[in-house]
Amino acid sequence: VSVAGQAPAAELEASMLANTCNGCHGPNGTSYGPAAPTIGGTNAAYMFETMVAFREGERPSTIMQRIAKGYSDEELKLIADYFAKQPFGRVVDQNTDPDLVARGKQIYDNLCEDCHEDEGMSAIDYPALAGQMMPYLDHQLHDLISGRRDLEKNEALSSKERRKKMRNLKELVDTEGEDGVTAVIHFFGSKN
Amino acid sequence: LGLPHIARATGGNVVIVGGGVGGATTARYLKLANPDISVTVVEPKSSYHTCFMSNEVLGGERTLEGIEVGYDGLKSMGITMVQDRASGIDPDARTVTTAGGETLNFDRCVVAPGISFVTDGIEGYDEAAQEKIPHAWQAGPQTALLRSQLEAMEDGGLVVIIAPPNPFRCPPGPYERASMIAHYLKAEKPKSKVMILDPKEKFSKQGLFMQAWKDLYGHGTDNSMIEWNTFSKVGAINKLDAAAMTVETDFESFDPAVINYIPPQKAGKIALDADLADDSGWCPVDKMTFESSKHAGVHVIGDAAIATAMPKSGYSANSQGKVTAAAIVAALAGKEMPQPSYVNTCYSIAGTDYGFSVAAVYRYKADDNTIAGVEGAGGLTPVDASPEQRKREVAFAHSWYNNIRKDTWG
Ligand SMILES: Cc1cc2nc3c(=O)[nH]c(=O)nc-3n(C[C@H](O)[C@H](O)[C@H](O)COP(=O)(O)OP(=O)(O)OC[C@H]3O[C@@H](n4cnc5c(N)ncnc54)[C@H](O)[C@@H]3O)c2cc1C
């Protein structure tokens, strides 16, 4: 806030647009749960690409496709930059099972750590997963595994990244089963 | 008589009438934008019960405490709460007076008093009758009363919901209510029925509700738990007898166990008294700033305002509060506000794992002073959404509730 009591114009425009998301995603994009994802502290490129994918109907959703169609590329860039500057708030104590958390940690070390670094806290190149809402992680993992959320449609990813991600998810399901999926969700959900 | 508040804040004085969704959101976003602005909220209640999720209370899925929110979040930001009813607004002297005799000076005033009810026109119905025939359209004791009547009724009884004419607070609300009451009755009193009597020929999310009633409550069969009757079919309401518990229409008479009459509505009384409404009973405003078209320096938001395409909902009131806060911050600093952006979303829960939604993104149109939906954006949950999608929407409805509460009252 400047002395005159008003922030610069671009910042004002960004917050005007981004504030409309808070009703569902929480103040500054920090979700109070139980299911809607935290979007504050998200990597700006990932959020922009995600919003475009929703808008173009390439990523499935319950409601985001309908919302994303309301914004232009320029507006989405402002919104993504705005949320990237907010902290990724971890305010909900989610119910996790210590045994599942331990098992999830092992799976994470083997299969996820290369990309979702720092136990899923990092949002530098990939979406942060630590402290994300567990029902949301559950939806997304099942949508990714079933191909409903189809990474092949995501041109922002290299083909190598896509192959590796899908290979690792397949290995998760093949070797650890549905319990393994639950375990990684508990691992990420236990972080706050 | 109280002395006028003489404290002069460096950023200006804003007095907000009403600590509901619109008022509280404006207060919070003013303080977030510029802590030097002095913000005072006048609100008679010591805590607020949200109407949203109050239908879950009626359905037995949530307690009354579960929809109660206090004002500590606003106070902790340095917002002054005056627990009193505003009794007058003088736009020329720029003062708000309270029933308790205080006078508050303002540079800008925000009026967000919600709705009042039109209680004349039906024989046997007045404010006193509301103690036996609850509207439960302002949450709190009225919600508790309607819930206790549902709990007390015997299996096989009839619940009559009389829906209001347009425009009114929460267009899908009466139909979500019918669903949540049927949800409760199906589990506890399965021989009972819900009948909606409606002055309208169609209603919000009609296709989705009808599908839900078919999927969950036998709609379309002889054993339907929910019946929807328009006045054109059964006649308009003539008489409500609170002692005998009867409903009389032009053509029929009903003998329900519980009557939920949701009266026609207009802007909250203080907005009418302060000459902020037009002949429609609602308040015309500039759609970019929500400044009253009738009195400069006074903004009207939420249900009380005429906001073109935006429905009277909590999400709308929250969204309008943010736009109004930006308009006031700019006006007090003598600058231009950014182009406004508004959103509305409304989730409805029709039963176990059965949710759906409507959404819209709006922009300001200067040429005709309207708020218009962005073309191609928004819309309804598809009628053929999968059971998994419907289940997810219930979890997202509950998330929306937690998040908008935080975003509004801190
Ligand atoms: C059953 C039901 C379900 C609903 N569900 C949803 C939903 O799912 N989603 C959604 O978005 N919306 C929903 N709504 C609508 C939502 O509750 C309203 O649109 C919203 O509360 C409007 O906000 P407001 O600020 O205009 O009024 P309110 O929230 O009603 O606030 C008005 C406040 O002003 C105070 N006040 C009144 N007069 C004075 C005075 N003279 N002085 C000082 N204070 C005064 C009142 O005490 C009150 O606290 C629902 C409504 C109902 C009835």
Side-chain angles (χ1 to χ4, degrees):
Chain A
V1 176
S2 66
V3 187
Q6 211 184 7
E11 205 176 295
L12 284 178
E13 200 189 334
S15 63
M16 171 63 75
L17 291 163
N19 287 341
T20 62
C21 318
N22 296 354
C24 290
H25 289 286
N28 294 327
T30 289
S31 178
Y32 283 75
T38 284
I39 58 169
T42 302
N43 155 331
Y46 171 72
M47 182 177 295
F48 175 74
E49 286 153 14
T50 298
M51 292 296 284
V52 171
F54 281 135
R55 192 181 65 196
E56 308 308 324
E58 280 159 12
R59 182 175 158 183
S61 74
T62 56
I63 203 164
M64 279 309 297
Q65 289 192 0
R66 291 178 264 157
I67 302 272
K69 289 191 178 79
Y71 302 91
S72 66
D73 279 1
E74 293 71 46
E75 289 170 337
L76 291 178
K77 286 211 173 85
L78 284 172
I79 292 172
D81 286 340
Y82 182 88
F83 280 115
K85 286 191 209 120
Q86 313 301 320
F88 189 110
R90 296 179 174 84
V91 293
V92 184
D93 252 331
Q94 303 193 79
N95 245 333
T96 52
D97 175 298
D99 292 340
L100 285 172
V101 173
R103 182 168 164 203
K105 158 97 172 112
Q106 280 182 347
I107 298 172
Y108 166 82
D109 287 344
N110 285 337
L111 294 175
C112 321
E113 203 238 338
D114 283 357
C115 302
H116 302 284
E117 291 166 291
D118 194 14
E119 305 211 320
M121 301 291 272
S122 163
I124 297 172
D125 292 315
Y126 298 101
L129 303 178
Q132 188 53 284
M133 291 304 136
M134 288 161 67
Y136 174 75
L137 292 174
D138 183 78
H139 301 161
Q140 297 309 315
L141 271 173
H142 285 98
D143 287 356
L144 285 165
I145 290 164
S146 70
R148 205 174 154 260
R149 178 172 169 185
D150 182 1
L151 286 190
E152 287 307 319
K153 288 188 184 155
N154 189 343
E155 285 165 16
L157 302 177
S158 71
S159 58
K160 198 173 154 211
E161 269 173 316
R162 285 179 228 164
R163 279 200 310 275
K164 176 162 178 188
K165 173 146 191 87
M166 291 319 290
R167 195 173 56 234
N168 288 21
L169 285 181
K170 188 171 180 316
E171 191 176 336
L172 166 66
V173 176
D174 288 349
T175 60
E176 305 281 344
E178 184 61 27
D179 291 354
V181 176
T182 308
V184 275
I185 293 168
H186 277 245
F187 169 67
F188 292 125
S190 70
K191 306 263 156 224
N192 52 19
Chain B
L1 276 178
L3 288 171
H5 275 215
I6 40 173
R8 274 266 134 204
T10 51
N13 279 315
V14 180
V15 174
I16 298 174
V17 175
V21 185
T25 307
T26 313
R28 244 173 66 71
Y29 275 82
L30 279 169
K31 270 290 178 199
L32 289 171
N34 183 359
D36 291 338
I37 299 176
S38 147
V39 181
T40 303
V41 177
V42 185
E43 165 63 55
K45 297 194 295 257
S46 59
S47 67
Y48 179 88
H49 287 90
T50 61
C51 284
F52 20 107
M53 295 298 161
S54 70
N55 286 331
E56 277 205 340
V57 176
L58 300 177
E61 293 290 312
R62 195 180 277 263
T63 62
L64 196 64
E65 292 73 49
I67 58 167
E68 183 177 11
V69 47
Y71 288 108
D72 287 348
L74 297 187
K75 287 181 196 156
S76 73
M77 298 177 79
I79 293 161
T80 306
M81 294 299 301
V82 173
Q83 196 186 332
D84 204 346
R85 177 170 295 280
S87 51
I89 301 167
D90 186 333
D92 300 320
R94 303 224 156 185
T95 56
V96 170
T97 46
T98 71
E102 255 188 286
T103 302
L104 306 161
N105 289 316
F106 64 79
D107 298 308
R108 292 269 158 176
C109 179
V110 179
V111 182
I115 52 165
S116 59
F117 298 107
V118 180
T119 51
D120 49 345
I122 288 187
E123 191 188 336
Y125 185 78
D126 55 18
E127 250 169 66
Q130 293 174 358
E131 295 310 310
K132 291 201 81 176
I133 302 178
H135 52 73
W137 220 242
Q138 285 159 331
Q142 281 276 305
T143 316
L145 175 61
L146 182 53
R147 173 66 190 164
S148 69
Q149 292 181 342
L150 293 168
E151 281 174 341
M153 76 180 256
E154 279 171 25
D155 192 7
L158 174 69
V159 179
V160 166
I161 298 174
I162 304 164
N166 291 325
F168 64 100
R169 156 176 290 185
C170 195
Y175 315 95
E176 183 190 56
R177 173 168 292 176
S179 311
M180 284 317 292
I181 291 176
H183 168 75
Y184 165 69
L185 296 174
K186 185 179 167 182
E188 304 289 333
K189 295 161 191 179
K191 295 202 281 289
S192 313
K193 283 195 181 355
V194 182
M195 184 187 291
I196 305 164
L197 301 179
D198 207 324
K200 304 181 293 300
E201 295 297 319
K202 56 184 190 194
F203 60 86
S204 170
K205 302 182 187 166
Q206 185 164 348
L208 288 161
F209 276 111
M210 293 285 189
Q211 184 64 44
W213 297 344
K214 219 162 123 186
D215 290 345
L216 302 170
Y217 308 118
H219 196 69
T221 70
D222 291 345
N223 248 334
S224 179
M225 290 195 73
I226 300 181
E227 206 177 304
W228 177 63
N229 286 321
T230 60
F231 285 8
S232 62
K233 189 172 144 205
V234 294
I237 309 292
N238 281 328
K239 188 175 167 189
L240 291 175
D241 189 328
M245 285 299 275
T246 53
V247 177
E248 275 176 35
T249 71
D250 289 342
F251 318 137
E252 294 192 48
S253 125
F254 301 98
D255 199 10
V258 177
I259 307 170
N260 172 215
Y261 176 52
I262 307 165
Q265 293 153 35
K266 53 190 176 179
K269 184 167 181 300
I270 183 73
L272 307 174
D273 292 350
D275 184 39
L276 293 164
D278 64 18
D279 290 343
S280 72
W282 305 99
C283 304
V285 293
D286 179 299
K287 307 299 190 265
M288 180 163 179
T289 60
F290 289 91
E291 187 165 358
S292 165
S293 314
K294 303 188 78 179
H295 293 290
V298 179
H299 302 247
V300 185
I301 63 168
D303 290 350
I306 301 171
T308 325
M310 293 186 89
K312 301 188 185 303
S313 76
Y315 209 115
S316 292
N318 170 279
S319 189
Q320 293 165 11
K322 292 166 188 174
V323 172
T324 304
I328 291 176
V329 169
L332 291 175
K335 300 243 173 93
E336 293 220 342
M337 74 178 285
Q339 273 305 306
S341 178
Y342 334 67
V343 166
N344 176 56
T345 311
C346 177
Y347 283 103
S348 297
I349 301 176
T352 308
D353 292 340
Y354 206 112
F356 41 81
S357 56
V358 64
V361 179
Y362 309 91
R363 292 297 143 72
Y364 172 62
K365 276 177 61 208
D367 49 351
D368 56 357
N369 185 36
T370 56
I371 300 173
V374 176
E375 228 171 290
L380 295 158
T381 300
V383 179
D384 61 358
S386 68
E388 170 66 18
Q389 297 288 98
R390 293 214 172 93
K391 184 176 170 185
R392 286 185 187 183
E393 290 225 88
V394 173
F396 290 134
H398 292 148
S399 305
W400 165 81
Y401 182 74
N402 292 341
N403 284 324
I404 202 162
R405 251 179 85 141
K406 269 283 165 196
D407 192 44
T408 301
W409 291 278

